[in-house]
Amino acid sequence: MATLYRGLFPYLERHGWEIEIAIGGGDLSGFNPADFGDPVIHQLTIERELSPIKDIGGLASFAKLLSSRKYDVIHVSTPKASLLGSIAAALTRNGPVVFVYRRRVYELMSGMKQRLYIGVDKVIAALSKKVVPISRELGDQLVGDGVCKREKLHFIGSGSSNGINVDRFAPGAEAKGAAVLRAELGIPADAPVLLFVGRIIGEKGVDLLPEVHSRVKERIPGAHLVLVGPEDDRDPVKPETLNYFGKGDQVHWLGYRSDPRTAYALGDLFVFPSYFEGFGNVLLEAAAMEIPSVAFDVSGVREAVANDVSGTLVPSGDAAGMAEASIAILNDPALRERMAKAGRERVVREYASAVVHEEIRKLLEAIAEAGR
């Protein structure tokens, strides 16, 4: 929730919108007004995984909520909530529905399971007034998969779904905290740091990071690897990967951090071996803090990284290529500085939250007006 909507709700409230949020439980301790405004929150019973019997209860709770009042726009996003919310909106004749599409959850699936999940997306899209993919390439894929027609798509600016707060993610932000963290981790002041931020899971390519780091250390012996992110047992990494993170030389796994800016400020280069993304938001956060990236040339990443401008893209799965590109940038301070400045300028110009929030407001108001 924090990453997906931070700052958006207060912006909409300042422009006259009343916000109500329906969520499937969870910890709301970090839900502060400065970031999320003052919305009405409805906690519903929603299971994250497909569960036909329990999902009937979730659908009923959605329908009960939508029967209580008429909404100008119903915004759905995560897969399960989007399915139940769009069906409930149709049953109660509420809406219109805007479907913000974040990722093809079936990307690495095959056979019947993949067809099932494509079918779910088709249902949601059919019940929605607009489908808003968070990247241009993702929109092309939805059309190619037969999820919806191109005329139903709407894109927010250059991509992303919430943009980046370029004042919060800025060069020098958390510099003091980063210096303290570097000392706590025992990283020498002049040692280069490879940084990864994201879930510690297979589809993020995390199993390749030990090889990438080891190859970099062969040429730059002082290089450290810092990882920020939680494990997820639904897509676990290999035991030997966890062993490297726990016992490897010059490796520091910090776990989940609600505010990763101190870790970003510690990094010299962002390494991101993900096999696919809806849109690589962490790559924009790194760029905003003037950290160039090395990542795979895959869907949802190639739009977030401008190749040879804000970072370097290498073929998917090529750990050796990722290491070589990392070495090239770390060994060329002028190149690293040029990429750092260009990346920050690009984020400010195209992905600043102020720009993205205004585009979202215009879309919502146009849909609400058309539905009146």
Side-chain angles (χ1 to χ4, degrees):
M1 176 70 78
T3 301
L4 301 182
Y5 297 109
R6 187 188 299 274
L8 175 60
F9 299 151
Y11 184 86
L12 293 175
E13 287 174 343
R14 290 195 297 271
H15 287 82
W17 284 83
E18 296 178 21
I19 309 296
E20 297 189 17
I21 304 172
I23 60 175
D27 180 14
L28 298 178
S29 59
F31 205 86
N32 63 78
D35 291 330
F36 299 103
D38 189 27
V40 175
I41 299 175
H42 306 278
Q43 289 195 295
L44 308 182
T45 303
I46 305 172
E47 296 291 326
R48 184 166 184 172
E49 303 299 328
L50 287 174
S51 175
I53 295 177
K54 292 181 179 179
D55 289 344
I56 292 174
L59 177 60
S61 64
F62 255 121
K64 181 179 180 181
L65 171 63
L66 297 185
S67 297
S68 66
R69 65 166 294 182
K70 173 67 176 176
Y71 292 92
D72 293 301
V73 177
I74 297 173
H75 170 293
V76 298
S77 179
T78 56
K80 176 62 73 65
S82 296
L83 177 63
L84 300 182
S86 60
I87 293 174
L91 292 174
T92 58
R93 298 181 181 275
N94 213 324
V97 173
V98 175
F99 179 24
V100 176
Y101 197 91
R102 300 187 181 280
R103 64 195 294 267
R104 297 158 80 216
V105 296
Y106 52 83
E107 179 92 17
L108 302 180
M109 298 177 187
S110 60
M112 182 63 72
K113 186 175 183 180
Q114 185 182 68
R115 290 194 293 273
L116 172 63
Y117 276 85
I118 291 176
V120 167
D121 283 348
K122 286 182 177 180
V123 170
I124 303 168
L127 296 174
S128 300
K129 182 70 173 179
K130 283 292 181 182
V131 177
V132 184
I134 63 174
S135 73
R136 302 275 171 174
E137 187 171 6
L138 188 56
D140 292 339
Q141 291 169 339
L142 291 181
V143 173
D145 292 340
V147 170
C148 67
K149 300 292 186 182
R150 187 169 296 277
E151 52 266 27
K152 184 167 273 193
L153 300 180
H154 182 94
F155 297 98
I156 301 296
S158 297
S160 180
S161 63
N162 195 39
I164 301 297
N165 184 330
V166 294
D167 295 322
R168 188 167 180 268
F169 289 90
E174 302 298 320
K176 291 182 179 179
V180 171
L181 179 60
R182 182 180 282 266
E184 290 176 349
L185 297 176
I187 303 175
D190 60 347
V193 173
L194 301 176
L195 175 68
F196 171 87
V197 177
R199 287 179 297 151
I200 307 300
I201 58 175
E203 73 178 36
K204 297 287 187 185
V206 174
D207 285 313
L208 298 179
L209 286 175
E211 180 182 350
V212 172
H213 182 228
S214 296
R215 286 177 176 271
V216 171
K217 282 200 303 176
E218 289 176 2
R219 304 265 288 281
I220 307 176
H224 285 243
L225 173 64
V226 173
L227 305 103
V228 178
E231 285 185 82
D232 189 333
D233 58 12
R234 290 171 299 176
D235 183 18
V237 297
K238 298 175 181 178
E240 53 266 37
T241 299
L242 294 178
N243 184 64
Y244 185 87
F245 293 164
K247 300 179 181 178
D249 184 34
Q250 298 169 201
V251 182
H252 316 273
W253 182 12
L254 307 184
Y256 171 75
R257 292 199 164 200
S258 59
D259 185 350
R261 288 178 298 163
T262 301
Y264 278 122
L266 188 67
D268 295 290
L269 184 67
F270 195 75
V271 287
F272 197 63
S274 182
Y275 294 114
F276 78 98
E277 293 287 317
F279 191 89
N281 211 58
V282 291
L283 294 159
L284 296 185
E285 291 176 348
M289 295 189 71
E290 295 192 350
I291 306 169
S293 297
V294 176
F296 288 155
D297 187 5
V298 296
S299 173
V301 170
R302 62 174 68 97
E303 290 183 53
V305 177
N307 192 31
D308 296 329
V309 176
S310 63
T312 301
L313 297 174
V314 299
S316 179
D318 186 0
M322 177 166 281
E324 285 299 319
S326 299
I327 292 165
I329 294 173
L330 291 174
N331 278 340
D332 189 340
L335 173 62
R336 203 202 79 84
E337 181 71 9
R338 184 166 66 250
M339 286 182 165
K341 297 296 183 185
R344 166 76 181 178
E345 291 171 1
R346 180 171 179 260
V347 172
V348 171
R349 182 177 63 250
E350 299 183 28
Y351 299 104
S353 55
V355 175
V356 175
H357 291 171
E358 178 61 11
E359 289 290 320
I360 293 173
R361 182 190 69 80
K362 289 178 180 178
L363 170 65
L364 296 179
E365 291 190 353
I367 290 176
E369 183 63 31
R372 292 189 180 111

